[in-house]
Amino acid sequence: GEDVEQSLFLSVREGDSSVINCTYTDSSSTYLYWYKQEPGAGLQLLTYIFSNMDMKQDQRLTVLLNKKDKHLSLRIADTQTGDSAIYFCAESLYSGGGADGLTFGKGTHLIIQP
Amino acid sequence: DGGITQSPKYLFRKEGQNVTLSCEQNLNHDAMYWYRQDPGQGLRLIYYSQIVNDFQKGDIAEGYSVSREKKESFPLTVTSAQKNPTAFYLCASSPRRQETQYFGPGTRLLVL
């Protein structure tokens, strides 16, 4: 079955690193995504990783993928107040025969303390 | 300036009324999607379209209808059969099916 799990809240101090975790259940996932949503807005694509990779870095963002444990994480270095948002993990299955949509977690609210 | 636009930003529906949410993209993407977001929930797929004049039901299609007469446009109608329509509706598109999806700004639908 398809299920993506995330913690609902994460609180970090400004300037520290934030690590947002996600677990997924379907081993046939092809791509895994991180999206950011600010209040009242749509989803902004942050980064994605193909399932045959184990790490991807893009400026302050580092994505780690552990396929064996079906665990995905997003690390944000030097967290700023502008990083305050909801972060969604999503997987694409595309295993043929299923719908083309993404399966989303419920989102992690990142709260920045001054 | 390329992107995905959704209108209106807020929409009010009366009992028994059908309402239509607009989604337009000028990215030349083949595939388009509609998702529903409820408070504290992830997004759930309503309908998707891989190509013009073709669309498929997602996980929660009951009470909704779509059309795809033009590549750029994928309107969603929330019918009176949808008993709990209050939600945030997000449209997305991807270059082709099974590729990275990009989202519009969303429409918030409220029931009077």
Side-chain angles (χ1 to χ4, degrees):
Chain A
E2 310 162 13
D3 202 10
V4 177
E5 299 281 344
Q6 300 178 241
S7 299
L8 289 182
F9 295 96
L10 175 66
S11 178
V12 298
R13 290 191 181 278
E14 191 174 357
D16 287 353
S17 292
S18 306
V19 180
I20 303 170
N21 295 302
C22 169
T23 58
Y24 59 98
T25 55
D26 200 307
S27 58
S28 58
S29 294
T30 52
Y31 284 94
L32 293 138
Y33 298 88
W34 285 104
Y35 286 90
K36 175 183 180 182
Q37 185 179 38
E38 297 182 2
L43 270 66
Q44 174 194 349
L45 177 67
L46 284 180
T47 188
Y48 61 91
I49 190 167
F50 189 53
S51 57
N52 69 352
M53 298 168 65
D54 51 20
M55 182 177 126
K56 181 178 180 181
Q57 187 154 5
D58 182 3
Q59 300 182 331
R60 291 193 298 126
L61 305 178
T62 303
V63 178
L64 296 177
L65 175 60
N66 181 328
K67 272 197 86 170
K68 175 175 167 290
D69 295 338
K70 297 188 184 121
H71 183 266
L72 181 74
S73 67
L74 173 69
R75 178 177 178 269
I76 305 172
D78 186 25
T79 308
Q80 302 298 309
T81 54
D83 295 324
S84 179
I86 303 174
Y87 290 80
F88 288 95
C89 171
E91 63 174 343
S92 66
L93 299 179
Y94 302 151
S95 52
D100 279 6
L102 301 174
T103 299
F104 285 84
K106 292 185 178 179
T108 298
H109 292 243
L110 180 60
I111 300 162
I112 315 301
Q113 300 173 22
Chain B
D1 195 17
I4 303 170
T5 57
Q6 291 186 242
S7 61
K9 188 172 172 69
Y10 296 95
L11 186 58
F12 299 90
R13 191 189 95 162
K14 295 179 182 177
E15 287 290 331
Q17 188 181 41
N18 292 354
V19 291
T20 298
L21 285 63
S22 168
C23 178
E24 305 275 332
Q25 53 97 0
N26 61 4
L27 301 168
N28 200 33
H29 286 177
D30 284 341
M32 297 186 74
Y33 312 80
W34 274 105
Y35 291 88
R36 170 181 171 139
Q37 184 180 22
D38 293 284
Q41 301 293 317
L43 280 67
R44 292 181 290 167
L45 182 67
I46 305 173
Y47 268 98
Y48 66 100
S49 167
Q50 299 168 4
I51 201 163
V52 174
N53 293 322
D54 181 67
F55 50 83
Q56 282 82 38
K57 293 181 179 180
D59 300 321
I60 55 165
E62 186 174 348
Y64 300 97
S65 65
V66 293
S67 62
R68 185 89 187 275
E69 296 175 3
K70 297 188 298 181
K71 187 174 186 177
E72 305 79 26
S73 178
F74 191 40
L76 173 74
T77 296
V78 183
T79 74
S80 56
Q82 173 49 248
K83 297 306 177 191
N84 184 22
T86 297
F88 191 47
Y89 291 86
L90 288 155
C91 177
S93 70
S94 61
R96 281 160 292 280
R97 64 181 300 235
Q98 303 181 3
E99 295 187 358
T100 300
Q101 295 181 24
Y102 299 89
F103 284 79
T107 293
R108 189 165 300 279
L109 176 60
L110 300 163
V111 176
L112 295 177

